[in-house]
């Protein structure tokens, strides 16, 4: 059932699940999210991802990506996103925001497709979204130039499920 969040009723969730990462195999992770709809129907969004949860299925590659050559998880443990403008939910919409990794913040826009709201048998309501975007890893100080070996563009693909708190 496809329904929009009700206007005038704040909706917030403590979890969401990207179901597809940029690795070759799908991976689910949970991360802290807040999604609030105000009385005008406008929404605000923020999310934080713990980067030590990065998992490609190859422990050696994961350790390399987590070290100072790339993500430098010891010094930059999270990647966060927050919307910078009120969001109007439609069948498709764009969320303008900022991504922060360590001390570096850059603009990031996500193209979003609304999946709808479903009432689950346990009484919870779930909202689904698909989102895509892209960043340049070197804009965030992640790894150096590696022409022909590693793209500077990191494609972001998320399948997000928000659960309304009780």
């Amino acid at each position: 059932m496809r329904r929009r969040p009700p206007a005038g009723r704040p909706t917030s969730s403590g979890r969401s699940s990207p179901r597809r990462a940029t690795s070759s195999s799908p991976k689910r992770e949970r991360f802290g999210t807040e999604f609030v709809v105000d009385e005008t129907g406008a929404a605000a969004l923020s999310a934080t991802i713990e980067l030590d949860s990065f998992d490609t299925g190859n422990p050696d590659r994961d350790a390399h990506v987590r070290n100072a050559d790339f993500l430098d998880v010891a010094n930059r443990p999270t990647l966060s996103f927050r919307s910078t403008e009120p969001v109007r939910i439609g069948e498709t919409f764009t969320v303008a925001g900022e991504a922060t990794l360590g001390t570096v913040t850059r603009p990031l826009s996500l193209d979003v497709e609304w999946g709808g709201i479903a009432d689950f048998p346990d009484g919870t309501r779930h909202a689904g979204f698909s989102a895509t975007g892209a960043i340049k890893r070197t804009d965030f100080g992640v790894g150096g130039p590696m022409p022909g070996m590693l793209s500077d563009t990191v494609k972001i693909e998320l399948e997000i499920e928000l659960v309304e708190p009780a």
Side-chain angles (χ1 to χ4, degrees):
M1 177 183 303
R2 295 170 70 86
R3 297 188 319 226
R4 290 195 173 92
R9 181 171 177 199
T11 303
S12 175
S13 175
R15 67 179 184 163
S16 63
S17 304
R19 295 194 182 135
R20 194 179 333 166
T22 55
S23 66
S24 59
S25 61
K27 178 68 179 159
R28 284 185 191 227
E29 296 291 342
R30 289 186 180 199
F31 53 91
T33 303
E34 183 173 71
F35 181 83
V36 178
V37 179
D38 71 16
E39 61 280 345
T40 70
L45 172 69
S46 65
T48 300
I49 300 170
E50 300 290 331
L51 293 176
D52 63 358
S53 69
F54 184 90
D55 181 1
T56 66
N58 179 325
D60 292 335
R61 179 180 8 184
D62 294 347
H64 185 69
V65 170
R66 286 185 188 115
N67 79 21
D69 290 342
F70 289 99
L71 292 177
D72 194 11
V73 172
N75 294 305
R76 302 182 297 200
T78 61
L79 172 66
S80 61
F81 175 84
R82 71 173 189 84
S83 57
T84 55
E85 301 173 8
V87 178
R88 295 285 177 191
I89 297 171
E91 291 300 312
T92 60
F93 55 97
T94 299
V95 177
E98 296 178 330
T100 301
L101 176 62
T103 60
V104 179
T105 300
R106 298 284 185 262
L108 172 61
S109 290
L110 298 173
D111 294 320
V112 182
E113 181 180 334
W114 167 247
I117 292 180
D119 294 315
F120 277 51
D122 65 1
T124 60
R125 292 171 14 125
H126 296 235
F129 302 88
S130 296
T132 60
I135 60 172
K136 294 207 177 283
R137 63 180 175 76
T138 54
D139 286 351
F140 290 88
V142 176
M146 297 183 167
M149 293 181 64
L150 182 62
S151 174
D152 192 26
T153 301
V154 177
K155 185 176 179 182
I156 299 167
E157 297 178 336
L158 301 171
E159 294 296 328
I160 302 167
E161 179 180 320
L162 300 175
V163 180
E164 184 176 38

